[in-house]
């Protein structure tokens, strides 16, 4: 009875251990209580080690996908996802705890949100005031085949698969075992924000419009710097959150980018502001995705995530360019 009351109150394993210790003392069987407490301590230590291992797997995948082998991100992310799931299952975490549940409900929620993203992007490229934020130099530098590769391969398997399995599946499931679901969502969301430090550094270099916006300035004219930056995600054209900065435009694996000049390099302060803003916004997005996961399993945040990133590449190509200088001059005279 005492253990059941502890579980209802949120005490969980600690309540069972304390109840066992009290019963042992009262009945003279003092060995059972310490044994139970030791089992609980051992389980927490095992969960902590699994959590540290999961963070290490994610950190290694982040470096590989952003700095070492970005085009191999689908393979890297698939392998990392398998390792994370194996870690979770080795700790006795069920598939439902990871988030593989309620697929029909998740698909409905995610489908509605994906449609809303498409509507927002369509409005964004239609309005002159926001159009520049969608014209991503990284996406514009790619051939049509590479854009399709990003939208249909790199984003789904290089980005969404690992991030949803890791930050909305395995990490919160491990943390929730000892600290409850709300702490689990907060911790996984904070780590999701930090996951975007490397992509944000590259985005600052390739996205002058958003860099100026983060610095508190106004958007300069078209001659000031090439526009760029798929808004909303901080994910680059490698589909893993790994943006491709100007220092990598000449690499042989990106031959189609060599003809385009890179954008102006931002200052250290500008980069720091972009990174801080990206970490904060993606952490908040992690909270939203976590709530979606609670309501509809992993399918709901995965669909929203996929739409945000993949459609970002497509709408960057659809966004109209700036009018030529002569046309702008004639328009000004007319006004």
């Amino acid at each position: 009875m005492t253990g059941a009351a502890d579980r209802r109150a949120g005490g969980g394993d600690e309540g069972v251990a304390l109840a066992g210790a009290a019963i042992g003392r009262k009945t003279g069987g003092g060995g059972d209580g310490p044994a139970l407490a030791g089992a609980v301590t051992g389980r927490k230590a095992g969960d902590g080690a699994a959590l540290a291992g999961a963070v290490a797997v994610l950190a290694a995948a982040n470096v590989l996908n952003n700095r070492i082998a970005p085009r191999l991100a689908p393979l890297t992310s698939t392998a990392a996802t398998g390792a994370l799931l194996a870690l979770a299952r080795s700790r006795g975490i069920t598939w439902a705890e990871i988030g593989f549940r309620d697929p029909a409900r998740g698909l409905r929620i995610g489908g509605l949100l994906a449609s809303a993203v498409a509507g927002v992007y369509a409005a964004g490229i239609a309005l002159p005031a926001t159009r520049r934020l969608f014209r991503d130099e990284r996406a514009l530098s790619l051939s049509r085949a590479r854009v399709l590769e990003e939208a249909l391969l790199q984003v789904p398997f290089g980005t969404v698969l690992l991030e949803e399995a890791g930050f909305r599946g395995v990490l919160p499931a491990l943390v929730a075992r000892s600290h409850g679901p709300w702490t689990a969502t907060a911790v996984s969301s904070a780590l999701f924000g930090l996951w975007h430090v490397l992509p944000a550094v590259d985005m600052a270099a390739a996205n002058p419009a958003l860099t100026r916006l983060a610095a508190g300035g106004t958007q300069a004219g078209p001659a000031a710097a090439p526009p760029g930056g798929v808004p909303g995600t901080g994910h680059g054209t490698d589909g893993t959150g790994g943006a491709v900065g100007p220092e990598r435009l000449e690499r042989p694996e990106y031959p189609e980018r060599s003809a385009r000049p890179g954008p102006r390099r931002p200052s250290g302060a500008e980069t720091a502001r972009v990174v801080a803003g990206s970490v904060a916004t993606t952490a908040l997005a992690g909270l939203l995705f976590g709530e979606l996961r609670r309501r509809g399993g992993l399918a709901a945040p995965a669909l929203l995530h996929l739409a945000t990133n993949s459609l970002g590449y497509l709408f960057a190509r659809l966004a109209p360019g700036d009018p030529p200088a002569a046309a702008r001059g004639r328009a000004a005279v007319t006004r």
Side-chain angles (χ1 to χ4, degrees):
M1 293 295 291
T2 305
D6 283 329
R7 286 193 295 273
R8 288 195 296 271
D13 292 321
E14 293 84 347
V16 175
L18 291 173
I23 292 171
R25 285 193 298 271
K26 289 179 180 179
T27 61
D32 292 340
L36 287 172
V40 172
T41 302
R43 173 176 164 176
K44 284 187 174 181
D47 288 345
L51 179 61
V55 172
V57 168
L58 286 167
N62 196 332
V63 174
L64 285 169
N65 289 344
N66 284 286
R67 290 292 183 265
I68 298 176
R71 290 292 292 275
L72 298 179
L75 295 177
T76 300
S77 295
T78 300
T81 298
L84 292 174
L85 293 175
L87 272 174
R89 294 290 290 161
S90 72
R91 299 303 307 157
I93 294 177
T94 67
W95 293 112
E97 287 179 296
I98 295 172
F100 293 101
R101 55 177 176 77
D102 301 325
R105 178 178 174 83
L107 290 174
R108 287 196 301 271
I109 295 173
L112 288 173
L113 292 173
S115 299
V117 167
V120 170
Y121 281 5
I125 67 171
L127 297 174
T130 55
R131 183 178 300 152
R132 287 175 60 84
L133 298 178
F134 287 81
R135 288 186 57 77
D136 191 318
E137 183 65 23
R138 296 163 295 175
L140 294 173
S141 299
L142 298 175
S143 66
R144 290 183 181 179
R146 284 283 285 116
V147 168
L148 290 176
E149 177 190 329
E150 297 298 333
L152 301 179
L153 177 63
Q154 295 286 350
V155 168
F157 299 101
T159 298
V160 176
L161 175 66
L162 178 57
E163 292 185 4
E164 295 309 315
F167 294 102
R168 256 69 67 187
V170 172
L171 289 184
L174 287 170
V175 176
R177 294 277 292 264
S178 300
H179 302 285
W182 299 112
T183 300
T185 299
V187 169
S188 61
S189 298
L191 291 173
F192 186 58
L194 293 174
W195 168 268
H196 289 85
V197 168
L198 291 180
V201 171
D202 290 331
M203 183 175 66
N207 194 323
L210 287 182
T211 301
R212 289 192 299 273
L213 190 62
T218 57
Q219 294 183 17
V230 176
T233 65
H235 290 269
T237 52
D238 295 301
T240 64
V244 178
E247 70 279 4
R248 294 165 65 191
L249 293 178
E250 301 297 332
R251 284 176 52 174
E253 62 182 301
Y254 301 105
E256 66 269 32
R257 305 181 189 190
S258 301
R260 288 181 177 267
R264 175 188 69 85
R265 285 183 177 276
S267 67
E270 289 173 334
T271 298
R273 281 189 287 266
V274 171
V275 169
S278 179
V279 169
T281 54
T282 50
L284 291 175
L287 293 175
L288 170 62
F289 288 165
E291 178 61 17
L292 291 176
R293 184 251 198 197
R294 187 182 71 83
R295 293 174 179 269
L298 288 179
L303 277 178
L304 175 59
H305 198 166
L306 179 63
T308 302
N309 289 14
S310 290
L311 293 179
Y313 290 112
L314 300 179
F315 277 90
R317 298 295 293 259
L318 295 174
D322 294 306
R328 290 197 304 273
R330 287 195 298 270
V333 171
T334 303
R335 288 197 297 270

